[in-house]
Amino acid sequence: MKFSEKILSVKPSATLTITSKAKAMKKEGKDVIILAAGEPDHDTPDVIKKAAIKAINDGLTKYTPASGTLSLKKAVCGKLKKENGIDYSTDEIVISNGAKHSIFNALLSLCNEGDEVMIVEPYWVSYPEMVKIAGGVPVALKTSPENGLKLSPETLEKAITEKTKALILNSPSNPSGVVYDRSELEEIAGICADKGVYIISDEIYEHIIYDGKKHVAVASLSEEIKKMTITINGVSKSHSMTGWRIGYMACDKKIADLASTLQGQATSNPCSISQAAAEAALTEDMSSEFGANLEKFTKRRDRLIELLEDEDRISPLKPQGAFYMFCDISACGLDSLTFAKRLLDEKSVAVIPGGPFGDDRFVRISFATDMQTIEEGMRRIKDWVKTL
C-alpha cells in the first residue's frame, strides 16, 4: 500500500520528540532535568479559568461559527487596536486551534504547488514542514551570529524570485530570541511590499521582551504593508494557555475568507470553552501578570548567562525576547543531535538540538522552568562537557 509521499516527507518535531523522551524517563523514576519546554511554567491566571467555568455553567458547549465567535473576534480587534495600533474588522479575523494552526491555515490559503516561502534561519522547526505540506518550497535565508542572527535586507532581496509567495518572520524569535526594531522591520517589510511578497508575521512571543525593547507589529508600519501582512498571534505564551489551543490570524478579508472556508472543512470551530477563556484573557487587565512573568524570565535569563560565563565551549546568544537561550556548541566537537541525545542519555538533561532549527552549531536551552532546575541542569551540562 502506498501512503502520502507528502506526509512521509514531513519530519517529526525535534522539540516534541526530545521532550516526550525526557518525560517518559521521568515517569520511570529517573532524575531528569528538562530544559526543553516550549511553554511557560506558571499556571493560567484564575480570571481566565473562571471565565471558562462560567462558559461551561452557562451551557456554551455547542458549535460556534467555524472562524470563531463574534465576541472573541471583537476582543482580538480591540487588543490589536489598543496594543499594536492596527485597525481590523471582525471579518478580517480567524480564530484557530492555536497559532500553529493559524500559520498552517495561512500557508494553505496562500500557496500553490511550487510556490516559494522564505524562512529566516534559525527558524521554528515546524515552519518548513508546514510549507511542504501546503505544497510550497521552503527557502532558508541565512543569518550569522556576527549580525545577531538577523535577516539582512540584502539577503532578502537576493532570495526573492518570481516563485516567491511569502516570508515567515518571527519576532521575538524561537529559537534565537531575536527582536527586530521598527527600522529593521520597515526595511524588510518595504522590500516585501514592493515585490508583492506576503509576510506571515508570527508574533506569539510579543509580551516576553527584555531590556526595555518594544514589540513592533509588522502590520502597524503602513497601510500598504498591512495589506500584505498576515498577523499571527494567540494566548498560549503570553497568558500561559498552551493547552487551551487558541490562536488567531488577522489579515485581508479575502485571505480570512479562504482560511475560514478551509477551517470549516478541516476542523470546524475551535473549542467553545477555550474561546470564552481567550476572550477574558484579551479583555481583562493582565499588566501585573505580564510584568511579574517578565521579571521572572529576566532573572532566569541573566542567571543562565552568568552560569555559562566560565564555560568556553558553550557560547550563549543573549536573547532579546522569548524564553530560550540559543547556545553555540560547535567547540564541543559534536553535531547538535548527538550532543542532545548523549546529554539526555548520559546526564539526564534534555535540551533541543539546533539542527532542526536550521543551524547545527547550536542547541536550544529553555529557561521556562524554575531557577533550581536551571542551576542543576547547567551544573550537569558543564560537568559533562568537561568529559568530551
Side-chain angles (χ1 to χ4, degrees):
M1 179 182 291
K2 279 192 171 183
F3 295 102
S4 167
E5 292 181 5
K6 183 179 288 186
I7 304 305
L8 287 171
S9 72
V10 175
K11 300 172 186 174
S13 167
T15 309
L16 296 179
T17 300
I18 294 284
T19 304
S20 296
K21 182 178 179 181
K23 287 180 178 179
M25 290 170 65
K26 208 161 193 174
K27 282 186 177 180
E28 293 169 2
K30 296 180 179 177
D31 180 20
V32 182
I33 297 292
I34 300 178
L35 299 175
E39 60 184 348
D41 57 314
H42 47 269
D43 199 5
T44 303
D46 284 342
V47 67
I48 298 172
K49 293 181 184 179
K50 289 176 182 176
I53 292 167
K54 184 178 186 302
I56 293 171
N57 290 333
D58 289 348
L60 300 180
T61 58
K62 306 298 183 184
Y63 291 127
T64 76
S67 61
T69 62
L70 180 60
S71 57
L72 178 52
K73 289 183 178 184
K74 286 180 178 178
V76 170
C77 290
K79 179 264 178 221
L80 291 169
K81 175 64 175 177
K82 180 181 178 181
E83 295 184 4
N84 306 112
I86 322 170
D87 285 308
Y88 281 104
S89 59
T90 54
D91 58 3
E92 296 174 310
I93 306 296
V94 179
I95 312 296
S96 300
N97 300 287
K100 179 186 282 190
H101 188 201
S102 297
I103 297 168
F104 197 37
N105 280 346
L107 288 167
L108 284 167
S109 298
L110 287 179
C111 288
N112 291 304
E113 290 291 327
D115 282 348
E116 294 175 351
V117 177
M118 300 178 294
I119 304 169
V120 182
E121 189 178 282
Y123 42 72
W124 181 41
V125 293
S126 293
Y127 291 153
E129 307 309 315
M130 288 194 286
V131 170
K132 288 189 284 186
I133 294 171
V137 177
V139 177
L141 305 184
K142 296 286 185 182
T143 63
S144 68
E146 290 71 33
N147 72 348
L149 295 180
K150 286 187 174 182
L151 173 64
S152 71
E154 295 76 22
T155 298
L156 174 62
E157 284 200 282
K158 287 178 183 177
I160 295 174
T161 72
E162 59 183 17
K163 293 183 178 181
T164 304
K165 179 60 66 75
L167 165 70
I168 301 178
L169 192 65
N170 181 205
S171 176
S173 165
N174 172 14
S176 68
V178 162
V179 175
Y180 290 85
D181 61 31
R182 178 174 292 275
S183 62
E184 291 167 333
L185 289 174
E186 285 175 338
E187 198 160 8
I188 290 168
I191 292 169
C192 289
D194 288 344
K195 300 287 187 178
V197 173
Y198 285 97
I199 301 171
I200 300 174
S201 182
D202 182 354
E203 303 178 12
I204 194 69
Y205 292 97
E206 69 164 317
H207 284 292
I208 309 171
I209 296 182
Y210 308 109
D211 305 324
K213 292 185 74 71
K214 301 296 182 184
H215 173 71
V216 178
V218 173
S220 71
L221 297 174
S222 73
E223 279 301 314
E224 181 188 14
I225 289 169
K226 178 188 171 187
K227 289 177 184 177
M228 298 299 295
T229 300
I230 301 173
T231 299
I232 305 292
N233 213 323
V235 292
S236 291
K237 315 296 184 180
S238 55
H239 298 80
S240 196
M241 294 176 67
T242 51
W244 298 78
R245 307 314 303 137
I246 294 293
Y248 56 84
M249 59 190 288
C251 55
D252 182 83
K253 184 179 181 300
K254 291 180 182 177
I255 298 171
D257 287 344
L258 291 172
S260 179
T261 299
L262 168 64
Q263 187 161 291
Q265 296 294 358
T267 67
S268 296
N269 61 276
C271 171
S272 59
I273 307 305
S274 294
Q275 289 189 71
E279 187 177 334
L282 295 178
T283 54
E284 296 286 344
D285 181 7
M286 293 288 165
S287 55
S288 61
E289 284 86 353
F290 290 160
N293 294 335
L294 185 61
E295 182 180 359
K296 181 171 61 176
F297 283 134
T298 302
K299 288 179 180 178
R300 294 171 179 178
R301 178 199 66 163
D302 293 347
R303 179 61 176 149
L304 188 49
I305 291 173
E306 182 183 5
L307 290 167
L308 285 170
E309 281 179 350
D310 61 348
E311 179 49 69
D312 294 337
R313 287 188 287 179
I314 301 179
S315 302
L317 293 173
K318 188 176 183 179
Q320 300 168 322
F323 39 71
Y324 311 107
M325 192 81 71
F326 212 42
C327 297
D328 188 339
I329 50 93
S330 55
C332 294
L334 301 174
D335 65 82
S336 65
L337 184 58
T338 301
F339 183 101
K341 283 183 174 179
R342 284 187 56 185
L343 180 61
L344 183 56
D345 291 339
E346 297 172 25
K347 296 297 285 187
S348 297
V349 178
V351 299
I352 303 298
F357 291 101
D359 200 324
D360 207 32
R361 299 169 294 175
F362 288 80
V363 295
R364 192 192 77 177
I365 297 174
S366 170
F367 50 93
T369 188
D370 62 272
M371 195 72 82
Q372 184 179 348
T373 299
I374 291 169
E375 291 179 344
E376 173 60 16
M378 296 316 300
R379 183 191 68 77
R380 294 188 194 183
I381 290 172
K382 290 164 74 174
D383 286 348
W384 178 71
V385 166
K386 291 174 185 175
T387 68
L388 297 176

